[in-house]
Amino acid sequence: SDPSTLVVWIQSTSQPQFFSWAKQQYEAQHPGVTINVQIQQSGALGDTLDVTLGTSGAPDMTATWGGLIVSKLVSGNKVLNLNDVVEEAVGDNMHAAAQYNKLDGDGEYYSIPLNGFISPVIYYNATLFSQYGIEAPETYEDLISISNTIRSRGKQPLVAGFSTWHLPHFMQAVHARTMAPEDFEQLMGIKEDMNPFELDGFKEGWDFFKDMGEQGIFADNITGYDANTAATEFTSGNALMYTAPSTDLPTLVEAATFDIGTFLLPAAPQEFLPEGLTTADMADVTLASGVYSDVFVIDAKTTKAELAKDFAKFLLSVEAQSYLLECEMLPVRTDVSLDRASPILAPVIEEMSNGVSGFYQNFSVTGLDIQLLNAGVSLLSGDIDSTTAAKQIATFYHDSAMVVA
């Protein structure tokens, strides 16, 4: 292959606009170099990388996910050590929520988190909100009232891709609102001496989630939508609120014929907080959830390792990290100004500036994402109650041998 051409595989959601810009900027700064960016469907970026990397058709650098997938690539000597890419200026200024990826290599960087996203931003039809005389909610009670108004107008309220992995992401944000920060933080890393899913507030999160369904906040047949059908319901004007992780905001704006606004899921009221926890205790809880599960690795057998590492360093630069905000993605670096964020995201930027929480790192445990998804669907359909949903997750975590008795 051409020694001056770097083949980079990326995800089909959220990353294309950013990498189109990155390609243009890097090539302009490095005459003679070509960055060949290839958009891949998620299947190619998962477990199949274990057999793809090292072959003649492998990319030099590729997006994938942290946790078990990168760990498997590391143990199989499929990817390069990237400690020299994550230089001190980056490592010392990296969001704590992104640091978990360092564990993919037993304390060494074998994958690098280039970006994250805010979960869950709730997008709303600002044009019809204004026409109906309603504003973005500040409290849970506001959200219920807004949903009732929307339904009275013959429209659906909040639609989401709850038939797929979006539901576990939504639950992570729910639990950030029903668990004390120090307890919620226990969900972020693999624990070998405890079961974090038995902590106070975890069961209450399921109560809160179920109440949203009972209060009519979710669109009818909410568990029947995937990301694409949910987005279509929103852009067509049938549903007036929409949430999905890693939404490509520029594409969403282009598809909509109305103005778009944003807000974050409001804080949980007292009735959904565990005993001993008050709304005052939760006043300073960070509502923006930063998800840094999307990472990049470099093929151990690439003949262009130095070029790949240099491009990776550019992606981690302040210049590139600043542009991420225009694409509705979170920078890895904390020393990046949030001023360049899309104006549509302005209402959630203040929360981002207060810091972002991590994401269930235990999500990486094989099958836990399915357990979270199934529990949520079963709870909304009335097949199980909140206690059973919480117990189902805690039992699975324990039986997966993550807890040492």
Side-chain angles (χ1 to χ4, degrees):
S1 59
D2 188 339
S4 63
T5 297
L6 188 72
V7 177
V8 183
W9 282 6
I10 67 169
Q11 290 194 56
S12 59
T13 60
S14 73
Q15 293 178 356
Q17 181 194 3
F18 171 72
F19 272 88
S20 176
W21 172 88
K23 167 185 168 65
Q24 181 181 29
Q25 295 296 314
Y26 190 83
E27 289 178 352
Q29 297 172 23
H30 299 79
V33 172
T34 299
I35 305 298
N36 183 357
V37 179
Q38 300 179 5
I39 299 174
Q40 302 292 320
Q41 294 303 311
S42 60
L45 304 176
D47 289 324
T48 56
L49 283 179
D50 197 33
V51 295
T52 300
L53 293 178
T55 68
S56 59
D60 301 296
M61 180 177 180
T62 178
T64 183
W65 296 277
L68 295 181
I69 289 180
V70 171
S71 295
K72 183 162 58 173
L73 297 178
V74 172
S75 63
N77 297 315
K78 300 282 188 176
V79 293
L80 295 179
N81 182 291
L82 302 177
N83 285 352
D84 54 341
V85 172
V86 187
E87 297 172 329
E88 188 173 330
V90 178
D92 289 348
N93 293 287
M94 187 179 287
H95 276 295
Q99 287 281 9
Y100 291 108
N101 291 285
K102 189 171 185 178
L103 302 179
D104 292 334
D106 192 24
E108 302 284 311
Y109 281 105
Y110 281 84
S111 67
I112 51 175
L114 293 182
N115 64 272
F117 53 88
I118 316 162
S119 175
V121 172
I122 297 178
Y123 304 90
Y124 67 92
N125 186 322
T127 299
L128 285 183
F129 265 47
S130 178
Q131 183 178 320
Y132 296 164
I134 53 180
E135 298 179 352
E138 295 184 3
T139 67
Y140 181 54
E141 291 73 18
D142 291 343
L143 183 56
I144 294 172
S145 176
I146 286 171
S147 299
N148 289 335
T149 299
I150 291 172
R151 286 183 178 277
S152 72
R153 296 283 185 154
K155 301 287 188 177
Q156 291 292 320
L158 180 62
V159 69
F162 278 0
S163 69
T164 55
W165 52 274
H166 299 144
L167 197 157
H169 279 275
F170 191 85
M171 285 308 306
Q172 184 268 346
V174 169
H175 283 120
R177 290 149 175 77
T178 63
M179 299 179 72
E182 60 270 22
D183 286 341
F184 177 75
E185 184 64 23
Q186 299 303 309
L187 298 177
M188 296 305 105
I190 300 295
K191 308 296 179 186
E192 295 185 349
D193 59 347
M194 62 174 290
N195 191 331
F197 297 101
E198 294 179 335
L199 291 169
D200 290 343
F202 186 73
K203 182 264 182 185
E204 287 78 2
W206 294 102
D207 290 331
F208 188 28
F209 179 65
K210 184 177 182 180
D211 195 70
M212 290 181 209
E214 293 176 344
Q215 296 288 352
I217 290 171
F218 298 138
D220 297 340
N221 190 34
I222 184 68
T223 58
Y225 292 97
D226 60 19
N228 293 329
T229 55
T232 298
E233 281 293 281
F234 178 67
T235 55
S236 65
N238 293 329
L240 301 196
M241 297 183 290
Y242 158 75
T243 185
S246 68
T247 290
D248 185 344
L249 182 56
T251 300
L252 191 70
V253 171
E254 184 178 349
T257 57
F258 48 81
D259 292 334
I260 295 176
T262 59
F263 63 90
L264 290 170
L265 180 67
Q270 183 68 54
E271 63 185 292
F272 298 109
L273 299 181
E275 185 177 355
L277 195 64
T278 68
T279 51
D281 297 327
M282 301 293 283
D284 296 326
V285 169
T286 300
L287 298 181
S289 306
V291 182
Y292 291 92
S293 56
D294 303 339
V295 300
F296 278 76
V297 295
I298 296 177
D299 184 2
K301 293 189 177 181
T302 179
T303 59
K304 291 163 273 189
E306 293 310 309
L307 177 58
K309 288 184 177 183
D310 192 67
F311 183 57
K313 288 180 181 179
F314 169 74
L315 296 174
L316 288 172
S317 68
V318 171
E319 176 189 5
Q321 290 284 301
S322 297
Y323 185 75
L324 280 168
L325 288 158
E326 296 186 23
C327 307
E328 203 260 320
M329 291 187 287
L330 290 177
V332 168
R333 301 177 66 135
T334 58
D335 56 347
V336 171
S337 170
L338 299 177
D339 294 342
R340 290 183 64 176
S342 164
I344 292 175
L345 292 175
V348 305
I349 294 303
E350 184 176 351
E351 287 292 341
M352 288 171 58
S353 65
N354 292 334
V356 291
S357 69
F359 183 58
Y360 301 128
Q361 285 300 308
N362 306 304
F363 182 90
S364 299
V365 178
T366 301
L368 184 60
D369 53 343
I370 301 300
Q371 295 296 322
L372 287 160
L373 173 62
N374 290 342
V377 170
S378 298
L379 185 62
L380 289 179
S381 64
D383 294 336
I384 62 175
D385 59 18
S386 300
T387 300
T388 302
K391 185 177 180 180
Q392 182 174 310
I393 306 305
T395 300
F396 181 84
Y397 181 77
H398 186 278
D399 291 347
S400 297
M402 299 311 300
V403 176
V404 178

